[in-house]
Amino acid sequence: MTDTLPPRTADLPAQWSPGEVEASMYQGWVDAGYFTADATSDKPPFCIVIPPPNVTGSLHIGHAFEHTLIDVLVRRRRMQGYETLYLPGMDHASIAVHALVEKALAEEGTSRRELGRDAFIERTWEWKAEHGGAILAQMRRLGESCDWSRERFTMDARSNRAVLTIFKRLYDEGLIYRAERMVNWSPEMRSVLSDVEVDHVEVAGELVSIRYGDGDDAMVVATTRVETMLGDTAVAVHPDDERYAHLVGREIELPLVGRMIRVVADEHVDPAFGTGAVKVTPAHDPNDFEIGRRHDLPMPSIMDESGRIAGTGTEFDGMDRFTARVKVREALAAQGRIVAEKRPYLHSVGHSSRGSKEPIEPRLSLQWFVKVGPLAQVAGDAVRNGSVTVHPPEMESRWFAWVDNMHDWCISRQLWWGHRIPVWYGPDGEIVCVGPDEEPPAGYTQDPDVLDTWFSSGLWPFSTLGWPDKTPDLEKFYPTSVLVTGYDILFFWVARMMMMGHYAMDGERPFDTIALHGMVRDAHGRKMSKSAGNTVDPLAWMDAYGTDAVRFALARGANPGTDMPIGDDAVLAARSFGTKLWNATRLALANHASPALPLPTSPTDADAWILGRLGQVREQVDALLEDYQFAKATEALYHFTWDEFCAWYLELAKPQLADEATADGTRAVLGHVLDALLRLLHPVMPFITEALWQPLTGSESIVVAPWPVDAGRPVDDGAAARIVALQKLATEVRRFRTEQRVPDARRVAARLVGLDEAGLGAHRAAVASLVRLDAPGDDFAATATVEVALGSATVHVELDTSGAIDVAAERARLGRDLAAAQKELDAADKKLGNPKFVDNAPAAVVDGIRARRATAVADIERVTARLAALPSS
């Protein structure tokens, strides 16, 4: 019927060239409004707010991984008929941006303090306008279906209003307070750092043992930070340590300083470690701070904001902390107080993840804190009662370990770029918190500090939707649907969003599900780092292999909560998969395949089989994606496409297309399967599926096409069994050809015996096509025979290979078959020889094992006979 129609390969180039079409295709989607959400729609909502990348950032492999997973979820829900909102935006990255601008100022010979606060802030906004936000353009390259009309920034006017509003509410309810506490201090930044901005590194330090006191009052303490002894206010021992019982409650002299310090008994001390006596510096060590609180010890700070010794009244004042470490040790040695000098000691030291990577200084400092107790309780209960689901479930224990033991949150930073703390101080010590629509009293001065970046990020799920105003977006899309993020920031960011969301939204959770993924590692499973030289650039991969290949490779390795190794091989394999899909569609179009054609009422076995498998794969993919099993879903689509549709069905379809009786039905099946397959693949590979689906269907865009729900047909067990038998037969013949070194393109004369008995009589042409067999001529003489057991029948393929067979290769092939049959027989005998199994297993199972045993016995007899018939050499 379609013989007179021209081939349709003109609709597609010979090769897929992603770099030539991706940008324009993406812009076309944006211009068409496919990604723009409608808050007035009556469709069910599906909303994901992007984990906001830093304004300083560029798209690294971790972003590409996480954003791919988010976009897979969003694109699928859009196709399923949801009103989807994928909301993009950026974090102002207080410390990172501050450091970059300060560095630029230093290169100009000035500083922020010389510039002044207002000028510095203006300069920072200029930097943001010029350099910030590169990652947003890179997100477009990745194909992310974001609603760019709703782009947000954590320091835009609406976000600032949300920050001021919630700060005042928390302050007025006593949940924000100011106090002296131990913090992570960066002498370089002259600011507190959050825990997430501190990397703990094992370093080789030196443990120095120092003698305090003399004679019977002498005590030896050990430290890696000798300079902090200038701030000691006690020596602590365990209450049950009899060695020091006579000294507890007394005072001994602190060397170099001359100040008398107490000896206290505290259960925190391990009497078996070192000498059992520890120096206590409450203002410069978290554990010492707690000892100091328990024993009401003085807590003098002995370092200024830049890490220089200060206020000790000693010769060391003004020295950098590291210089002082050497000079204090030398002074102690001169007094004969060093008992064991410079003993190597490996210990964990916190380092700033910013700037110079300097060691962090634990420091007692006056800061603003959030009282997290009641907020954290609600965040923990939300997971306990099932209001919020953590996926995978095994991550719940980690969540509870953090949330149930959370310390009060230090939210102030001694920086200028960020949300300034809305607290004002009066001339007589008055304190006023000023809300977004309020004015401070005349003559009051605002607190100079800014808020921790995580404070505004903690509001992200609702501030981006318009809170504190009751906006249509907030009503439609809150709570958001899923938070996709790495397990590494489960505490730092996710916990804060849970606390803030429940608090601000009257107990309403910020998201229904927390879907946690692991970290991207190199191909050998090692952590990626610039110093190790094993980082990969996803943008370079996109240039080289195309965006779809990168997305497919990332999704294919994304098992929930598990780290993922990836290298060039994975992306190359994904590109090859795209090429296979492209060529398959070109073949289908060349043969006028179309999903608009009616499916055959009496399909061939091959047609019935592929339609049944399509339905099974569609159900499997749906179930896996609902469970956030990206890797398994992608793998299922990969194997269906490559191993079943391309490797088998397309080959089986060729003789059907050549037969007028089956051609139209095959064109319909080809079009139907490809249409559904491209839609199933679209969330992972948006560009190539669009390029293929439009010429296949003649429709507007796959982006807004419906997700397949009735793809395929019920499985025809008979047809499926016959196709499986045909595959087994073809595989065995191919294996024989390979081992006999028969070239792939060479056709071989053959006589097929036993096809009817095996139920494959109708597939004679398909078998011949699959393994390149010709009908035997009058002078045919078989030189080899391939026997394949198919159920109760055996198919004999008698071949004329036009020459003597390779006896050694044939003997090796049959030997492997014999070993496999013997293994099957041994396994069956073991089960059938177990009375517990025979007596307790269902009768059908036992009968199946007996049938497998009978088949194995027959195979052994058949293969043994074939081996015996072979020439001896």
Side-chain angles (χ1 to χ4, degrees):
M1 185 174 73
T2 56
D3 290 346
T4 59
L5 294 176
R8 292 174 57 193
T9 49
D11 293 341
L12 288 177
Q15 293 181 331
W16 168 235
S17 301
E20 297 176 8
V21 299
E22 286 178 351
S24 59
M25 185 182 289
Y26 185 86
Q27 191 58 47
W29 293 335
V30 174
D31 293 343
Y34 296 150
F35 306 155
T36 305
D38 180 3
T40 66
S41 166
D42 58 2
K43 296 179 183 179
F46 183 81
C47 177
I48 295 183
V49 292
I50 193 171
N54 286 352
V55 67
T56 61
S58 60
L59 191 79
H60 58 61
I61 193 65
H63 289 133
F65 177 50
E66 181 170 276
H67 294 192
T68 293
L69 305 187
I70 293 173
D71 201 45
V72 168
L73 296 176
V74 172
R75 285 182 179 269
R76 176 169 173 263
R77 284 289 190 246
R78 184 181 293 114
M79 297 173 77
Q80 288 178 317
Y82 286 76
E83 191 61 45
T84 56
L85 171 57
Y86 180 11
L87 197 150
M90 295 181 297
D91 187 275
H92 63 277
S94 179
I95 291 178
V97 173
H98 204 286
L100 286 170
V101 176
E102 281 212 282
K103 181 180 179 181
L105 292 174
E107 291 172 354
E108 297 171 12
T110 185
S111 69
R112 63 164 162 145
R113 288 176 174 79
E114 291 183 17
L115 210 59
R117 186 175 196 126
D118 291 343
F120 177 82
I121 296 299
E122 182 179 348
R123 177 68 177 268
T124 308
W125 279 108
E126 291 173 359
W127 180 94
K128 190 256 182 187
E130 183 178 354
H131 302 288
I135 192 171
L136 298 181
Q138 293 159 356
M139 287 167 57
R140 287 175 164 87
R141 281 210 57 195
L142 191 62
E144 299 184 52
S145 56
C146 298
D147 183 347
W148 296 106
S149 70
R150 286 175 165 87
E151 181 186 327
R152 296 296 300 272
F153 180 53
T154 51
M155 276 186 63
D156 61 31
R158 290 176 295 174
S159 295
N160 191 57
R161 177 177 173 81
V163 167
L164 297 178
T165 299
I166 201 165
F167 187 100
K168 182 167 176 59
R169 276 186 57 182
L170 289 165
Y171 178 87
D172 289 347
E173 294 182 21
L175 293 173
I176 285 183
Y177 66 94
R178 197 183 191 206
E180 276 198 321
R181 293 288 187 271
M182 189 64 56
V183 297
N184 301 311
W185 186 262
S186 165
E188 180 194 4
M189 297 296 299
R190 300 188 190 182
S191 174
V192 177
L193 295 182
S194 68
D195 290 340
V196 76
E197 289 151 344
V198 176
D199 296 327
H200 290 275
V201 181
E202 290 288 325
V203 300
E206 54 184 42
L207 191 65
V208 178
S209 296
I210 310 168
R211 188 183 74 252
Y212 288 10
D214 295 297
D216 293 339
D217 293 346
M219 307 181 76
V220 176
V221 299
T223 181
T224 58
R225 298 196 302 154
V226 180
E227 72 283 1
T228 63
M229 61 85 59
L230 301 172
D232 286 359
T233 56
V235 173
V237 298
H238 193 274
D240 299 332
D241 194 334
E242 296 182 357
R243 292 173 295 176
Y244 303 110
H246 66 291
L247 291 175
V248 173
R250 294 174 56 182
E251 291 185 339
I252 60 174
E253 184 177 350
L254 179 64
L256 303 183
V257 180
R259 178 163 33 87
M260 301 302 292
I261 60 175
R262 290 164 51 194
V263 178
V264 299
D266 195 281
E267 292 188 353
H268 171 76
V269 179
D270 179 2
F273 181 76
T275 64
V278 298
K279 60 190 288 298
V280 181
T281 320
H284 294 277
D285 183 274
N287 293 322
D288 292 4
F289 173 73
E290 295 301 329
I291 294 175
R293 292 179 67 177
R294 287 193 288 272
H295 297 277
D296 196 25
L297 297 175
M299 299 187 182
S301 292
I302 55 131
M303 289 184 203
D304 63 17
E305 294 178 347
S306 61
R308 293 184 174 275
I309 305 298
T312 67
T314 67
E315 62 185 284
F316 310 107
D317 284 354
M319 290 183 185
D320 174 79
R321 53 183 170 153
F322 301 115
T323 302
R325 181 170 302 172
V326 175
K327 295 300 182 183
V328 167
R329 178 172 48 77
E330 290 175 350
L332 289 167
Q335 291 187 3
R337 294 196 172 274
I338 301 298
V339 176
E341 185 174 356
K342 299 180 66 173
R343 183 157 53 93
Y345 184 70
L346 191 68
H347 61 133
S348 179
V349 177
H351 286 68
S352 170
S353 63
R354 312 290 183 180
S356 65
K357 312 296 184 183
E358 62 178 337
I360 289 304
E361 189 63 42
R363 186 170 186 262
L364 188 62
S365 181
L366 183 63
Q367 302 289 341
W368 286 96
F369 293 85
V370 173
K371 188 181 296 183
V372 301
L375 304 175
Q377 177 68 43
V378 174
D381 290 346
V383 175
R384 286 189 179 90
N385 64 28
S387 171
V388 176
T389 302
V390 174
H391 188 86
E394 54 266 27
M395 287 289 181
E396 280 190 3
S397 58
R398 183 178 296 195
W399 170 257
F400 294 130
W402 283 335
V403 173
D404 294 346
N405 299 285
M406 194 180 297
H407 300 296
D408 285 358
W409 171 18
C410 178
I411 57 173
S412 47
R413 300 290 181 268
Q414 290 63 56
L415 305 170
W416 289 352
W417 173 245
H419 296 278
R420 195 165 176 182
I421 290 176
V423 171
W424 297 68
Y425 304 106
D428 298 318
E430 303 94 335
I431 299 179
V432 175
C433 182
V434 178
D437 300 316
E438 301 171 348
E439 291 291 331
Y444 278 47
T445 303
Q446 188 174 4
D447 192 298
D449 290 352
V450 299
L451 287 164
D452 178 13
T453 299
W454 297 103
F455 190 92
S456 52
S457 297
L459 317 185
W460 192 247
F462 53 93
S463 67
T464 52
L465 298 175
W467 188 90
D469 298 322
K470 294 183 178 180
T471 64
D473 278 2
L474 194 64
E475 182 177 353
K476 177 74 174 179
F477 295 110
Y478 191 91
T480 64
S481 305
V482 187
L483 172 71
V484 179
T485 191
Y487 63 71
D488 58 324
I489 57 171
L490 183 60
F491 170 70
F492 301 111
W493 184 45
V494 182
R496 283 150 172 71
M497 286 190 290
M498 286 279 277
M499 293 190 300
M500 295 297 209
H502 283 92
Y503 178 79
M505 298 300 295
D506 300 321
E508 186 65 81
R509 63 198 180 279
F511 24 72
D512 298 327
T513 302
I514 303 168
L516 298 171
H517 59 74
M519 303 296 103
V520 183
R521 297 183 177 272
D522 72 8
H524 304 288
R526 299 171 302 189
K527 183 178 180 180
M528 289 187 183
S529 67
K530 291 181 180 178
S531 60
N534 63 343
T535 59
V536 295
D537 181 359
L539 298 169
W541 270 354
M542 283 186 263
D543 289 339
Y545 309 121
T547 296
D548 289 315
V550 176
R551 289 174 59 120
F552 192 90
L554 291 169
R556 196 178 178 191
N559 291 296
T562 304
D563 290 349
M564 181 190 73
I566 192 170
D568 290 289
D569 288 349
V571 191
L572 278 166
R575 184 178 69 174
S576 296
F577 175 76
T579 300
K580 179 69 89 172
L581 186 65
W582 184 266
N583 291 337
T585 308
R586 290 187 79 245
L587 174 66
L589 290 175
N591 286 278
H592 312 290
S594 171
L597 294 171
L599 288 173
T601 55
S602 299
T604 65
D605 282 349
D607 293 342
W609 165 71
I610 199 66
L611 289 170
R613 284 295 298 131
L614 174 65
Q616 290 176 320
V617 169
R618 196 275 304 169
E619 290 180 2
Q620 182 184 10
V621 168
D622 268 338
L624 289 169
L625 289 179
E626 289 295 328
D627 197 37
Y628 307 101
Q629 299 278 358
F630 300 97
K632 290 181 180 179
T634 307
E635 193 75 3
L637 288 170
Y638 176 90
H639 286 294
F640 174 74
T641 304
W642 193 297
D643 299 341
E644 296 181 285
F645 180 69
C646 293
W648 288 106
Y649 181 71
L650 288 183
E651 293 302 314
L652 292 169
K654 289 175 182 178
Q656 294 183 180
L657 288 166
D659 185 341
E660 187 174 339
T662 55
D664 282 342
T666 303
R667 292 185 184 102
V669 172
L670 263 176
H672 182 83
V673 174
L674 263 177
D675 168 36
L677 179 57
L678 290 171
R679 283 185 281 154
L680 290 169
L681 282 165
H682 173 72
V684 183
M685 306 179 82
F687 294 105
I688 193 172
T689 52
E690 178 78 301
L692 295 174
W693 190 80
Q694 286 181 341
L696 177 72
T697 65
S699 299
E700 177 186 354
S701 175
I702 197 172
V703 175
V704 289
W707 182 254
V709 292
D710 57 354
R713 285 186 173 181
V715 174
D716 181 331
D717 292 330
R722 288 188 289 274
I723 293 300
V724 169
L726 185 152
Q727 290 172 333
K728 181 178 180 181
L729 173 59
T731 299
E732 286 300 313
V733 176
R734 285 171 175 170
R735 184 162 68 121
F736 174 84
R737 288 178 59 117
T738 298
E739 291 173 344
Q740 292 295 324
R741 298 180 180 87
V742 177
D744 290 343
R746 177 179 160 192
R747 301 190 69 84
V748 177
R751 179 166 46 234
L752 292 165
V753 182
L755 284 184
D756 291 336
E757 293 80 357
L760 296 178
H763 296 282
R764 190 173 297 272
V767 172
S769 175
L770 284 169
V771 292
R772 294 179 173 81
L773 302 180
D774 287 334
D778 294 338
D779 58 348
F780 175 80
T783 57
T785 301
V786 178
E787 297 179 349
V788 182
L790 298 175
S792 60
T794 300
V795 176
H796 300 261
V797 185
E798 298 174 351
L799 300 164
D800 175 13
T801 60
S802 299
I805 66 167
D806 185 332
V807 174
E810 181 66 354
R811 192 178 295 280
R813 183 180 73 85
L814 292 171
R816 287 192 292 271
D817 290 348
L818 182 62
Q822 186 63 53
K823 184 177 181 181
E824 181 75 6
L825 176 62
D826 293 343
D829 283 344
K830 183 176 181 181
K831 288 184 178 179
L832 295 173
N834 182 352
K836 290 184 178 179
F837 172 78
V838 175
D839 294 341
N840 297 322
V845 173
V846 176
D847 289 344
I849 297 295
R850 286 175 176 149
R852 286 167 53 187
R853 184 186 188 282
T855 299
V857 169
D859 285 346
I860 290 172
E861 292 175 352
R862 175 178 55 81
V863 174
T864 301
R866 288 286 301 133
L867 281 168
L870 287 174
S872 58
S873 60

